[in-house]
């Protein structure tokens, strides 16, 4: 029995340490998409806590009440096949819980797959984010600039990331702005994000992609639209042009610090958009977004 | 790459040279010992050629325990490396190889043989059969599995281990990005073991359908047999997919096809799809037998019949269907769109309903019982809360939008360990302790066993619970290191401490086996737990023919009814028993398979062709062989049964 108390105090100790910590990234959202997901997570934690408490409570109660050491020597446990009412409850309540969670899931999944709420009428900032072993290339086609391993974004503007990879499957993830999505070599996946607050966030490839995976990270800086404009102008004026040779060099495996270029690689190394409708960007990305398999 | 370069280890380290030496010495010691004690003949006659399901079960058990050790060492290395930020114990390449082999060893070469160990030993006894339907195929299954495991295990000393994760996603696992032969080992060793498993699946389905004693209808089968039946049905449907996907991967790597490549029309998503079409049912292949084991134990030690037997059966059947309808939840983030994700979310979460039914049924079985806290029961009681956490986090992961945040993080790692460890490891340890007297004729020490349980249960929670938090804090899985600034350090250190406690628990368990083998009393009778099902109605250890006479069954708990209500269990008189002959063929053929696999790993075509022909020759040989088995005469059976309680209280 002493062991059981030791066990409980360990668990309580761990929880106490954890409670003292800063809010974890996923539950500290800085954009509408991450916020939607954080809400879903909190609701699911609450609903699941009910289940956990019910099971734990029943277990502790039954195990203390019906232990052999507390019973008279001649107690013969009864033979019980089952009971329709009890079985109805243990099937019915989970069905209700799962139904509620399903509705929440479907709704929120459509929300995070679309342009963030409140930004539907403005034109999103399109950024092509591609990976090569083990770097991130961010191309801003409208601005005509490209960065490596860091990402500047304006706040209060819808962002549309188009993800693909020059190597193994990777995943683009900025936990405080929203969920991750895979980047693959033969198709584009689209991720809609937005940032509400200026600040610096962690971004990384979250899908294992070989030796350099752990360091396959990028810094994200969200700034006011005005500052963003200024930065773009600055880059255009000062950064060297991205040539095809230079880009080929960047693609070689290895790690790099940050670099900045004017011009993008999209012209000489086009993304795997395919599927005909090249002209209409919005439609094309929709189509890719739904593309299965 | 020149010919000999392939055999070189891609990243040699002192640890690997040390293991090479250790492996070499162990092999020499074994060979020497066998020769010195003149045990070659015994080994060959009694074990390598055996077709007895009980011996095969024990061999599966030994293999599984060895692999548990191997996978455990890997696990400690992984946790040691991530215990503190910026650690340099392992480099990235070595870490990648270790987590890949850890995953493969644990799922394919530890958990699978463990469940087949118990199924082999127990299922024929629970249904009152003499053996499985195809004893010789059963031996073949074991040896194929074993040779596959050995092939996988030599990878790190000959040519290098696979390093693309146990999911081995292409194109990372393709030739362009995994240049060593490691992934070839992955593809071929799992292929060989997988064929063995598929054969077992067919064998056990046939056994359970055809070999039950005539009075045992389906709804009178004990719960473990039910789960074994459904598990093997899943095997029969899921493993062919694995065979195909491994074959396609092998063609890409060895024959230059472009199925999963980035260019020439290859499709990397196809791997993820096919892998998980097998992979998700696979996790239910692992969990369902565990459910069966817990059902037996909970009713034995609550001294009550299993509550809701019918709903238990219904729920495993429903789970087996659903397990095939959810695979895409492993790649919600692959850009398949909101509609597909919604559908797969709902099917995924639906699995929680039948799973929940089972949890409540176990609880209701304990209710009004007379609960005894034996070691198997402790594992069962420990399983319920831990697995509940695994299940509810599974539901959380099943919500597609939220999974965009959990996917690929330590949260996921925590979830599946919270399901697999109580679900497979606890269940196997519970089942092992429970059925140990049946297998070996003596019991494991309860006292030492309880210590082991507490170390394992506490160590497990301390290891894995922190991962839920680091996952939500953005720690991706499979990162060999992280910086101090991330703040993941303290929780990872805690997790390492937990892993040490867990390992200590396993060490205590090993000590228990040693201690009990030396000191445990041997005169424990055939039914030391006062159990309920048929396997306890025969001697311990079990005679080669299992039951001298066919038992008569009227309920799921025939033996209990016999003990409590005096229902006769054995009727009729003893007759001669037909038994199959031993055969060296399964072992020989599997050894050829080993060489076959090795040849393919290193693209050595001449031995590959020779062994391919040899394999077909073995099959041809078998098809022309005349082998009618032999009979055990009545006198011999009567002599064996002389002291058996079963016989005395009935026939005389
Ligand atoms: C209530 C039932 C369960 C639900 C709803 C559930 C849900 C999920 C989901 C959605 C994932 C994918 C998460 C991701 O990749 O982001 C997952 C992963 C996993 N689950 Fe479960 N699960 C359940 C039970 C189980 C059981 C019983 C087992 C094992 C016996 C298991 C083992 C695993 C494993 C091994 C993975 C990780 C695979 C990998 O990516 O390496 N789960 N689960
Ligand atoms: Cu799954």
């Amino acid at each position: 029995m002493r062991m059981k108390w030791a066990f409980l105090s360990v668990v309580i100790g761990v929880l106490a340490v954890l409670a003292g910590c800063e809010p974890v990234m996923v539950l500290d959202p800085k954009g509408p998409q991450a916020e939607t997901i954080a809400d879903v997570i909190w609701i699911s934690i609450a609903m699941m806590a009910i289940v956990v408490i019910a099971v734990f409570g029943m277990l502790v109660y039954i195990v203390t009440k019906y232990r052999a050491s507390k019973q008279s020597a001649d107690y013969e446990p009864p033979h019980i096949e089952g009971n329709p009412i009890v079985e109805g409850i243990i099937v019915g309540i989970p069905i209700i819980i799962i139904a509620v969670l399903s509705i929440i899931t479907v709704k929120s999944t459509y929300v995070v797959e679309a342009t963030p709420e409140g930004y539907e009428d403005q034109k999103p900032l399109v950024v092509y984010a591609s990976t090569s072993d083990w770097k991130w290339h961010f191309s801003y086609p409208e601005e005509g600039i490209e960065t490596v391993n860091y990402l500047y974004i304006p706040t209060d503007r819808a962002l549309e990331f188009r993800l693909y990879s020059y190597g193994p499957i990777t995943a683009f993830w900025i936990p405080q702005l929203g969920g991750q999505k895979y980047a693959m070599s033969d198709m584009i996946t689209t991720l809609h994000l937005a940032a509400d607050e200026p600040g610096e966030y962690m971004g990384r490839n979250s899908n294992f992609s070989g030796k350099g995976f752990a360091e396959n990270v990028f810094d994200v800086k969200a700034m006011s639209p005005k500052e963003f404009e200024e930065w773009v102008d600055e880059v255009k004026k000062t950064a060297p042009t991205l040539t095809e040779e230079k880009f080929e060099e960047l693609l070689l495996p290895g790690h790099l610090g940050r670099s900045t270029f004017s011009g993008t690689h999209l012209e000489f190394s086009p993304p795997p958009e395919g599927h005909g409708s090249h002209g209409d960007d919005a439609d094309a990305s929709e189509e890719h977004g739904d593309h299965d398999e | 790459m020149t010919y000999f370069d392939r055999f070189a280890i891609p990243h040699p380290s002192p640890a690997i040279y040390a293991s090479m030496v250790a492996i070499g010495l162990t092999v020499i010691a074994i060979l020497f010992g066998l020769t010195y004690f003149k045990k070659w003949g015994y080994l060959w006659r009694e074990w390598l050629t055996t077709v007895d399901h009980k011996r095969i079960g024990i061999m599966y058990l030994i293999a599984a325990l060895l692999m548990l050790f191997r996978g455990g060492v890997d696990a400690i290395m992984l946790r040691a490396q991530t215990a503190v930020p910026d650690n340099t114990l392992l480099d990235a390449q070595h870490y990648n190889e270790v987590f890949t082999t850890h995953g493969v060893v644990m799922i394919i070469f530890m958990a699978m043989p463990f469940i087949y160990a118990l199924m082999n030993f127990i299922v024929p006894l629970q249904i009152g059969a003499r053996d499985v339907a195809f004893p010789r195929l059963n031996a073949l299954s074991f040896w194929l599995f074993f040779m596959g495991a050995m092939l996988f295990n030599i990878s790190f000393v000959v040519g290098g281990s696979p390093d693309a994760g146990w999911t081995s996603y292409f194109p990372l696992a393709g030739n362009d990005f995994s240049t060593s032969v490691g992934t070839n080992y992955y593809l071929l060793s799992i292929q060989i073991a997988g064929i063995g498993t598929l054969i077992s699946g067919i064998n056990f389905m046939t056994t359970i359908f055809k070999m039950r004693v005539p009075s045992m209808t389906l709804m009178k089968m004990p719960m473990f047999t039910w789960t074994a039946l459904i598990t093997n049905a899943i095997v029969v449907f899921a493993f062919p997919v694995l065979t195909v996907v491994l074959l396609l991967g092998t063609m890409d790597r060895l024959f230059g096809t472009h199925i999963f490549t980035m260019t020439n029309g290859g499709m990397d998503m196809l791997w993820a799809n096919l892998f998980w079409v097998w992979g998700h049912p696979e996790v239910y292949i692992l969990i369902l037998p565990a459910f069966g084991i817990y059902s037996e134990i909970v009713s034995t030690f609550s001294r009550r019949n299993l509550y809701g037997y019918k709903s238990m059966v219904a729920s495993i059947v429903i789970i087996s269907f659903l397990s095939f309808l959810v695979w895409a939840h492993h790649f919600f983030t692959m850009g398949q769109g909101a509609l597909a994700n919604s559908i797969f979310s709902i099917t995924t979460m639906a699995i929680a309903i039948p799973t929940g039914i089972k949890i409540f049924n176990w609880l209701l079985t304990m209710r009004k019982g007379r609960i005894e806290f034996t070691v198997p029961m402790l594992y069962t009681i420990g399983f319920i809360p831990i697995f509940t956490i695994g299940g509810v986090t599974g539901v959380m992961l099943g919500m597609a939008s939220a999974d965009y945040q959990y996917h690929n993080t330590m949260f996921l790692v925590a979830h599946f360990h919270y399901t697999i460890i109580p679900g497979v490891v606890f269940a196997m340890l519970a089942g092992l302790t429970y059925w140990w007297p049946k297998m070996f004729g003596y019991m494991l020490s309860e006292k030492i066993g309880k210590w082991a349980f507490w170390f394992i249960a506490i160590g497990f929670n301390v290891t894995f619970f922190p991962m839920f938090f680091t996952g939500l804090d953005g720690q991706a899985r499979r990162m060999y290191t992280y910086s101090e600034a991330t703040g993941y350090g303290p929780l990872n250190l805690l997790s390492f401490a937990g892993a040490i406690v867990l390992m200590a628990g396993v060490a205590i368990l090993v000590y228990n086996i040693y201690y009990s083998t030396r000191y445990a009393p041997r005169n424990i009778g055939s039914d030391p737990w006062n159990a309920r099902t048929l396997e306890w109605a025969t001697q311990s250890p079990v005679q080669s023919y299992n039951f001298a006479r066919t038992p008569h069954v009227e309920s799921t708990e025939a033996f209990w009814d016999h003990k409590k209500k005096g229902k006769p269990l054995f009727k009729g008189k003893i007759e001669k028993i037909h038994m199959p002959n031993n055969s060296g063929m399964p072992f020989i053929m599997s050894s050829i398979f080993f060489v076959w696999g090795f040849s393919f790993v290193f693209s050595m075509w001449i031995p590959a062709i020779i062994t391919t022909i040899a394999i077909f020759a073995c099959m041809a040989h078998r098809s022309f062989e005349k082998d009618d088995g032999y009979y055990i005469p009545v006198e011999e059976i009567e002599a064996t049964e002389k002291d058996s309680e079963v016989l005395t209280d009935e026939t005389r």
Side-chain angles (χ1 to χ4, degrees):
Chain A
M1 258 324 80
R2 250 184 303 126
M3 294 297 280
K4 197 179 262 168
W5 291 116
F7 175 61
L8 279 180
S9 41
V10 169
V11 172
I12 292 168
V14 172
L15 289 176
V17 171
L18 294 170
C21 291
E22 315 242 302
V24 291
M25 263 185 218
V26 164
L27 299 176
D28 182 24
K30 302 290 184 195
Q33 307 294 57
E35 215 165 283
T36 306
I37 300 180
D39 289 344
V40 171
I41 293 177
W42 279 120
I43 297 173
S44 65
I45 290 178
M47 303 266 281
M48 291 297 108
I50 301 175
V51 177
V52 171
I53 291 169
V55 172
F56 280 40
M58 275 175 76
L59 181 69
V60 171
Y61 172 77
I62 290 172
V63 164
T64 26
K65 178 139 186 239
Y66 297 102
R67 50 194 313 138
S69 54
K70 273 180 58 178
Q71 289 161 348
S72 61
D74 56 353
Y75 175 65
E76 272 287 328
H79 181 98
I80 309 173
E81 298 267 326
N83 176 325
I85 298 171
V86 176
E87 289 182 52
I89 294 173
I90 63 180
V91 181
I93 293 181
I95 289 184
I96 295 171
I97 294 179
I98 297 301
V100 172
L101 290 179
S102 296
I103 294 169
I104 296 172
T105 306
V106 174
K107 278 194 171 154
S108 59
T109 304
Y110 274 92
V111 169
V112 298
E113 283 285 337
T115 308
E117 272 163 356
Y119 297 95
E120 289 89 347
D121 43 350
Q122 52 160 265
K123 207 167 142 352
L125 174 73
V126 174
V127 181
Y128 284 83
S130 52
T131 44
S132 64
D133 283 349
W134 292 275
K135 302 163 230 68
W136 282 95
H137 309 266
F138 298 107
S139 319
Y140 299 71
E142 279 159 54
E143 286 71 16
I145 60 172
E146 178 154 330
T147 62
V148 177
N149 285 343
Y150 76 101
L151 174 68
Y152 280 4
I153 48 169
T155 53
D156 302 315
R157 169 140 187 222
L159 308 167
E160 184 178 320
F161 289 93
R162 301 201 184 152
L163 315 169
Y164 61 102
S165 163
Y166 285 94
I169 302 174
T170 52
F172 176 92
W173 190 33
I174 309 170
Q176 287 177 286
L177 298 188
Q180 65 201 282
K181 216 165 216 186
Y182 280 155
M184 291 163 289
S185 63
D186 49 0
M187 75 185 237
I188 289 219
T189 45
T190 310
L191 184 62
H192 300 277
L193 298 179
D196 289 339
E197 285 174 44
E200 299 199 8
Y201 308 121
M202 186 275 275
R204 66 163 302 121
N205 161 24
S206 54
N207 190 57
F208 176 62
S209 62
K211 232 175 177 163
F213 165 65
E215 290 96 1
N216 200 354
V217 292
F218 56 94
D219 304 316
V220 185
K221 191 162 167 183
M223 54 188 77
S224 70
K226 199 166 138 283
E227 274 175 273
F228 181 75
E229 296 279 304
E230 283 165 16
W231 171 73
V232 171
D233 287 340
E234 166 97 27
V235 168
K236 273 200 175 139
K237 263 189 244 137
T238 56
T241 318
L242 181 60
T243 60
E244 198 161 352
E245 298 88 85
K246 178 69 191 167
F247 186 66
E248 293 294 326
E249 200 183 300
L250 289 176
L251 288 184
L252 296 176
H255 292 291
L256 283 178
R258 303 163 159 223
S259 31
T260 319
F261 302 95
S262 63
T264 68
H265 71 258
L266 301 173
E267 295 89 44
F268 47 80
S269 179
E273 265 169 325
H275 298 283
S277 53
H278 233 297
D280 190 347
D281 275 339
D283 279 353
S285 69
E286 272 309 313
E287 192 188 317
H288 287 292
D290 291 342
H291 178 86
D292 205 334
E293 289 169 351
Chain B
M1 209 185 263
T2 67
Y3 184 74
F4 285 103
D5 281 349
R6 298 155 193 260
F7 296 94
I9 302 158
H11 77 101
S13 78
I16 290 185
Y17 289 126
S19 330
M20 275 187 185
V21 174
I23 294 174
L25 290 177
T26 319
V27 171
I28 292 172
I30 293 174
L31 295 182
F32 180 79
L34 285 173
T35 313
Y36 186 80
F37 293 107
K38 301 203 172 56
K39 289 289 185 197
W40 284 106
Y42 166 77
L43 191 68
W44 177 258
R45 277 189 311 275
E46 302 291 324
W47 295 95
L48 301 187
T49 60
T50 187
V51 294
D52 181 343
H53 70 98
K54 299 179 287 297
R55 296 229 156 150
I56 291 173
I58 287 170
M59 290 194 292
Y60 265 119
L61 183 67
I62 294 169
L65 288 172
L66 283 177
M67 290 296 109
L68 180 64
F69 175 76
R70 155 86 211 255
V73 171
D74 284 345
I76 288 290
M77 278 157 70
L78 295 174
R79 280 287 110 202
Q81 165 61 23
T82 47
V84 289
D86 301 312
N87 198 359
T88 52
L89 184 71
L90 304 178
D91 60 21
Q93 175 62 27
H94 199 173
Y95 188 82
N96 298 347
E97 293 178 13
V98 174
F99 76 66
T100 303
T101 47
H102 166 75
V104 174
V105 164
M106 285 302 199
I107 294 194
I108 309 275
F109 298 123
M110 186 284 286
M112 291 298 283
F114 223 140
I115 65 174
Y116 273 106
L118 295 181
M119 282 197 303
N120 256 294
F121 204 98
I122 301 305
V123 166
L125 294 174
Q126 277 199 338
I127 60 177
R130 294 264 142 74
D131 204 326
V132 295
F134 310 109
R136 206 200 265 207
L137 268 188
N138 198 21
L140 182 64
S141 286
F142 169 74
W143 288 112
L144 282 176
F145 147 74
F146 185 80
M147 293 300 170
M150 290 302 114
L151 184 62
F152 189 81
N153 272 279
I154 59 168
S155 67
F156 77 116
V157 288
V158 192
S161 302
D163 58 0
W166 83 278
T167 50
S168 205
Y169 276 19
F170 279 73
L172 180 62
N175 285 330
D176 297 342
F177 300 101
S178 291
T179 45
S180 81
V181 296
T183 304
N184 298 354
Y185 271 116
Y186 172 97
L187 295 165
L188 285 149
S189 60
I190 299 181
Q191 186 71 283
I192 294 172
I195 294 170
T197 308
L198 183 54
I199 296 175
S200 282
I202 297 166
N203 203 345
F204 276 89
M205 277 188 87
T206 317
T207 304
I208 296 172
F209 278 131
K210 290 285 178 198
M211 310 277 287
R212 276 171 293 135
V213 295
S215 47
M216 184 183 278
T217 58
L218 283 177
M219 289 312 273
K220 285 183 188 141
M221 292 197 312
M223 196 43 73
F224 180 64
T225 299
W226 256 114
T227 57
L229 174 65
I230 301 298
T231 302
N232 284 294
I234 303 180
V235 165
V236 169
F237 285 99
F239 269 71
V241 184
L242 179 69
T243 307
V244 168
V245 72
L246 292 173
L247 178 69
L248 296 179
T250 311
M251 300 213 320
D252 259 18
R253 282 190 63 96
L254 297 182
F255 305 114
T257 55
H258 292 276
I259 295 159
F260 306 121
T261 53
M262 308 201 306
T263 51
N264 292 330
M267 228 204 287
D268 42 13
M269 296 86 120
L270 185 62
W271 174 275
N273 253 299
L274 291 177
F275 181 86
W276 286 115
V277 167
W278 162 78
H280 191 83
E282 166 68 13
V283 309
Y284 285 91
I285 292 171
L286 300 180
I287 196 74
L288 291 181
F291 288 172
I293 294 168
Y294 289 132
S295 300
E296 304 293 351
I297 290 173
V298 91
S299 73
T300 298
F301 295 109
S302 305
R303 308 283 164 225
R304 266 207 51 199
N305 64 317
L306 188 65
Y307 187 91
Y309 175 87
K310 284 189 192 131
S311 59
M312 286 297 223
V313 173
S315 65
I316 51 177
V317 174
I318 293 170
I319 288 175
S320 72
F321 277 114
L322 285 176
S323 73
F324 283 94
L325 301 180
V326 304
W327 78 95
H329 67 210
H330 292 276
F331 41 89
F332 277 147
T333 61
M334 215 172 236
Q336 58 204 345
L339 179 63
N341 280 354
S342 299
I343 293 169
F344 281 103
S345 277
I346 295 171
T347 51
T348 300
M349 289 190 279
I351 293 195
I353 299 166
T355 312
I357 296 177
K358 304 189 80 76
I359 302 260
F360 287 112
N361 278 341
W362 291 314
L363 288 171
L364 292 169
T365 305
M366 289 194 270
R367 189 169 161 269
K368 302 210 164 158
R370 239 182 106 85
I371 304 172
E372 279 161 31
F373 297 94
T374 58
V375 171
M377 190 63 173
L378 280 181
Y379 281 108
T380 310
I381 293 174
F383 154 83
I384 290 176
I386 298 175
F387 186 78
T388 303
I389 294 176
V392 298
T393 51
V395 172
M396 291 168 68
L397 285 162
M399 304 177 74
S401 53
D403 187 62
Y404 292 9
Q405 290 281 30
Y406 308 127
H407 185 56
N408 276 330
T409 68
M410 295 311 277
F411 189 96
L412 168 71
V413 176
H415 153 71
F416 70 71
H417 284 91
Y418 262 84
T419 53
I420 281 189
I421 292 189
V424 181
V425 180
F426 280 26
M428 296 310 143
L429 298 182
L432 182 72
T433 318
Y434 181 59
W435 281 309
W436 189 274
K438 186 80 333 213
M439 294 180 173
F440 301 105
Y442 61 93
M443 298 178 83
L444 293 174
S445 156
E446 279 284 296
K447 190 154 161 255
I448 306 176
K450 284 180 184 166
W451 277 99
F453 165 78
W454 285 110
F455 270 75
I456 290 174
I458 294 172
F460 166 79
N461 281 290
V462 177
T463 310
F464 291 100
F465 206 75
M467 293 182 194
F468 286 121
F469 292 89
T470 58
L472 289 175
D473 203 18
Q475 187 182 2
R477 68 195 285 210
R478 299 178 173 175
M479 270 163 45
Y480 86 105
T481 192
Y482 51 88
S483 70
E484 177 102 52
T486 54
Y488 305 147
L491 286 178
N492 278 293
L493 188 62
L494 181 67
S495 175
F496 176 58
I500 300 283
V501 177
L502 183 55
M503 190 178 66
V506 177
I508 298 174
L509 183 95
V510 173
Y511 174 71
N512 192 4
I513 294 179
Y514 162 80
Y515 176 90
S516 309
T517 306
R518 285 201 68 163
Y519 303 110
R522 296 302 198 265
N523 54 342
I524 53 164
S526 65
D527 179 27
W529 301 115
N530 192 8
R532 313 171 81 85
T533 38
L534 268 191
E535 72 269 27
W536 301 100
T538 152
Q539 300 180 38
S540 309
V542 189
Q543 329 75 296
S544 65
Y545 49 79
N546 294 355
F547 293 96
R549 283 168 305 156
T550 311
H552 178 77
V553 172
E554 280 173 23
S555 78
T556 58
E557 309 183 310
F559 186 48
W560 185 255
D561 291 346
H562 162 69
K563 286 191 290 188
K564 287 290 146 171
K565 302 184 198 149
K567 293 224 170 111
L569 203 50
F570 299 98
K571 290 177 182 163
K573 61 181 192 342
I574 291 181
E575 284 169 43
K576 62 181 181 177
I577 294 173
H578 181 252
M579 298 294 288
N581 283 322
N582 281 4
S583 165
M585 251 352 214
F587 178 75
I588 293 169
M589 189 163 147
S590 304
S591 303
I592 300 175
F593 255 106
F594 178 88
V595 181
W596 178 88
F598 190 82
S599 315
F600 272 93
V601 167
F602 291 97
S603 318
M604 301 185 295
W605 304 122
I606 294 169
I609 292 168
I610 296 174
T611 45
T612 308
I613 295 171
I615 289 166
F616 280 106
C618 288
M619 292 196 246
H621 174 265
R622 170 62 175 149
S623 60
F624 290 113
E625 202 179 357
K626 270 219 168 68
D627 178 6
D628 298 328
Y630 67 98
Y631 283 96
I632 305 179
V634 174
E635 304 78 62
E636 194 180 324
I637 300 167
E638 272 174 351
T640 319
E641 298 286 336
K642 187 159 46 64
D643 309 319
S644 142
E645 301 165 37
V646 182
L647 206 69
T648 40
D649 61 23
E650 246 152 285
T651 34
R652 315 276 157 98

